[in-house]
Amino acid sequence: MLTYDLSEKNKYYDLYRAIRGDILSGNLKHGDKLPSKRSLAEHLGVSVITVQTAYEQLLAEGYIQSEQRRGYFVAEVNPQSELLYSPLTHVEEREERYDLDLCSGRAPVKLFPFSTWSKLMRETLSEEGDHLLERVPCDGDFALKEAIAAYLYRFRGFKVDARHIVIGAGAEYLYGVIVQLLGREKPYAVENPAYARVPQTYALNGAKCKYIAVDGCGVKVDEVEKSGACALHISPSHQYPTGAVMPAANRSKLLAWAQDESAYIIEDDYDSEFRLFGKPLQTMAGMNGERVIYLNTFSKTLAPSLRMGYMVLPPRLYADYRRLFGNSANVVPLFEQKTLAKMLDGGYFERHVNRLRNYYRTVRAKLLEIIEKLPFEKEIIETGGGLHLTVRLPSFESDEEIKATAKKRGIKIKCVSDYLSAPDEQYDRVAVINYSSVEEEALSTLCRQLSTHNSL
Amino acid sequence: MLTYDLSEKNKYYDLYRAIRGDILSGNLKHGDKLPSKRSLAEHLGVSVITVQTAYEQLLAEGYIQSEQRRGYFVAEVNPQSELLYSPLTHVEEREERYDLDLCSGRAPVKLFPFSTWSKLMRETLSEEGDHLLERVPCDGDFALKEAIAAYLYRFRGFKVDARHIVIGAGAEYLYGVIVQLLGREKPYAVENPAYARVPQTYALNGAKCKYIAVDGCGVKVDEVEKSGACALHISPSHQYPTGAVMPAANRSKLLAWAQDESAYIIEDDYDSEFRLFGKPLQTMAGMNGERVIYLNTFSKTLAPSLRMGYMVLPPRLYADYRRLFGNSANVVPLFEQKTLAKMLDGGYFERHVNRLRNYYRTVRAKLLEIIEKLPFEKEIIETGGGLHLTVRLPSFESDEEIKATAKKRGIKIKCVSDYLSAPDEQYDRVAVINYSSVEEEALSTLCRQLSTHNSL
């Protein structure tokens, strides 16, 4: 007979968990008959009701089946729920460990100015008090919107009316809002290749995606013109993963397309803070405030865990936004909004970004040095901006061989083809070197190994 | 000639704002010709480029029009953008002021245990340090998920596996996630009447809505059975705004429907903490963990500005959720999640809810007393739960008369018909008394007025 120690307080639940555990561990197998409620109750010294409630829960959750007049039997538990009930595993934790991760977009946590941030949090708490509980308008706290507008002007030479800024919980959240604003009838043109989450998020939000090929100048304008799209999602300043920078002529053509088709350009300026050489490029939103939605986050500059992004809407779209969401509160807690406003207004943010930029400049130089030394044919494709570059490696057989070779050395790497939603041969055997999350020490170790072994 | 003082630093932008201001204030009218770029530049002592840039921005934003070889003219500015550019007005601020608001769902801010909350925030900051920057798994911080599971068991007698909880930025955000999980092919059955934001949010997320009539027992089961819906959104413990409590027989029928149709029931338990008399009712999710998504927020119990809600997904849906969102970070900052976990685990939350419940019990008694004294026919419909009740007022001509009468007394009120998405005569002349945001003082004033004037 099944024997379990049940606590005084919570017998039914303990029994339910104990039996469930036995089913999942395989102690109780598919088809095994469970004791009758009465006999198990007597055996464990609990009431029949306790056993009955436990059985009902197991029944409801599909662990056991009841057969009329025959009793309860262990059900066939599918592997999916086994996975779910196995000791907690996060998707992330199941991933393999690497010495060097050239895929992750997250900055090393230790670079975050935590002492400043926590000082500003404490200040916010003292100064704002229970004002922090006030309802935040749908588009965010006005102090933060003003701070962002001022920052965009100082840093990006981009003049916006603070009122048209919408604060949201990260880029994906904002993509969803855009779909709610522009509707789902016409497709959304997206870059191919791109961050997989971009087309995925549009699709999850019920929008159709139209993939537009990318060459050295960004998306192909003629394909956009034929797309019939209501919106085009691009990163003209530094395309991910190709690194393409869109020339002014193409920008003008795309703006003309948007004007003619009453379409919108979603300018995802995800890494413009990290133009390591030269001045940041002008935004397309600065060229045409009526047809471009400018979008950026603080995930690369501060921390992805802050979940804070914003977009600047054209006036007409902003009016639609207020009409649709005017009665909803903003999704980002006021506390983080006030703290970030202080960080921007106090100049802390820009000092931090400057430090980050210097850091990445060093990392990038070391990486380039390593790549130059690699004992096989390579062509480095990079444009001085952002946190990644690409390398064409024609002497390899395939993208798989490139990744396998890196893996042997403890390096996690992706190829451009991993970001393709539709095949495109021009991106054969091009590795993406994303150094967002690279720590200098890991690079130094790699350098030492390379000089010892003289090969990768 | 237009004359403006332009700052040294930011001439183009100042000029642009100055002209825009004149257009919006009516100093410059539709059709007025602007000075040529050269002459205005000379007049203001700035470069032609400055004027040109300002004009281009105005042109791009539609404030002025260019006519070939004739120059620039003030465009017809539509009232929508006028509204946008008028001194900042939030939707909320444009609302009229009332002495007593019987519509708002927000608890009075002063009831929030701010000193406890801020103490826990400081503790979290000290204890967690830069761990607060770590990426939060898509479904939220596990400590909070465990705290919520324990709370649901203590308070609601509802046993859930903490792993299947998903933390999100408020109810509307979670409705959106549900649509992403269940798709948009089949309609979503929603209560009629209901909170307008429920059908609105489904529609914004691209889902079709099917309205199901509500009677004294909640949604009509036969209408649900004929709906062809993939999901049914209900509040069986206390329907808003009718106050209907769904009897056990109807719950079983709906669960059977969900089982047969492979549909889901979305159990929105929005005010179950405020069952003022008797024990909270059992959750439907507790009856069938495979077919019911349980959803609740902390907006009514803590503060809407926290934007924190959660849902408990059936195991299979949770697996889908992990598959779709496993690579995304949770949208709620870790800081708030850790603080709320402390609030729940330390028992502070339950003490606060108990205080709130007592407060609302007093408010409700006073309100009932006032209503009883009203000098016209009335039938109070209430079920001892939640933060609202309804009153049938047959001696009034129409819902409009009810609201106008209240308004004369400084009272903001809605009728059930205001929550209808499709007409339903049974809800003619039924006022909704929502006392979520009522402060005791306002009620005392009203009582005094009533005893003086002896009429409302």
Side-chain angles (χ1 to χ4, degrees), chain A residues 10 12 60-61 85-86 91 106 133 153 159 163 172 184 197 204-205 290 305 322 328 335-336, chain B residues 10 12 60-61 86 91 133 153 159 161 163 172 184 197 204-205 290 305 322 328 335-336:
Chain A
N10 199 353
Y12 133 71
E61 294 186 3
Y85 284 114
S86 64
V91 170
R106 307 173 208 162
L133 303 170
Y153 179 59
K159 279 125 203 145
R163 281 173 284 182
E172 291 171 24
R184 296 171 181 82
R197 281 313 279 178
L204 275 172
N205 279 284
E290 290 292 327
S305 59
R322 288 301 295 251
S328 300
F335 187 60
E336 271 77 5
Chain B
N10 199 354
Y12 132 72
E61 293 186 3
S86 65
V91 171
L133 302 171
Y153 179 60
K159 280 123 202 144
D161 188 318
R163 281 173 284 182
E172 292 171 23
R184 295 171 182 84
R197 281 313 280 178
L204 275 173
N205 279 284
E290 291 290 329
S305 59
R322 287 302 295 250
S328 300
F335 186 61
E336 273 75 6

Side-chain angles (χ1 to χ4, degrees), chain A residues 332-404:
Chain A
V332 179
L334 187 54
F335 187 60
E336 271 77 5
Q337 296 196 42
K338 291 283 187 203
T339 307
L340 181 56
K342 275 175 180 286
M343 182 109 182
L344 289 164
D345 286 337
Y348 307 104
F349 179 74
E350 273 147 289
R351 281 200 287 282
H352 166 62
V353 169
N354 284 338
R355 265 195 305 272
L356 267 186
R357 215 179 287 128
N358 285 331
Y359 175 82
Y360 284 126
R361 210 174 272 132
T362 313
V363 165
R364 179 175 167 283
K366 280 198 183 170
L367 264 172
L368 283 172
E369 202 186 315
I370 293 173
I371 296 167
E372 289 292 354
K373 282 190 194 151
L374 295 179
F376 33 73
E377 201 185 334
K378 65 250 159 192
E379 179 197 349
I380 297 169
I381 309 157
E382 66 107 32
T383 46
L387 301 179
H388 74 278
L389 48 89
T390 57
V391 186
R392 192 178 292 278
L393 298 165
S395 58
F396 282 80
E397 291 268 308
S398 67
D399 290 353
E400 278 55 49
E401 199 198 346
I402 295 174
K403 288 182 273 188

Side-chain angles (χ1 to χ4, degrees), chain B residues 24-97:
Chain B
L24 289 169
S25 65
N27 288 341
L28 286 170
K29 288 186 182 56
H30 176 207
D32 283 357
K33 188 175 188 308
L34 293 182
S36 76
K37 286 178 274 188
R38 186 173 307 270
S39 60
L40 185 58
E42 275 176 23
H43 176 68
L44 296 174
V46 299
S47 73
V48 175
I49 297 291
T50 301
V51 178
Q52 182 174 331
T53 319
Y55 278 18
E56 275 169 10
Q57 177 102 0
L58 292 163
L59 206 58
E61 293 186 3
Y63 289 100
I64 61 172
Q65 289 166 325
S66 135
E67 291 180 24
Q68 263 200 326
R69 278 184 288 269
R70 289 194 57 225
Y72 295 94
F73 296 84
V74 175
E76 191 173 0
V77 176
N78 76 45
Q80 210 171 43
S81 47
E82 258 180 76
L83 184 69
L84 281 169
Y85 284 115
S86 65
L88 186 70
T89 47
H90 289 313
V91 171
E92 297 83 340
E93 288 169 357
R94 282 201 301 274
E95 283 177 5
E96 293 168 76
R97 292 266 157 236

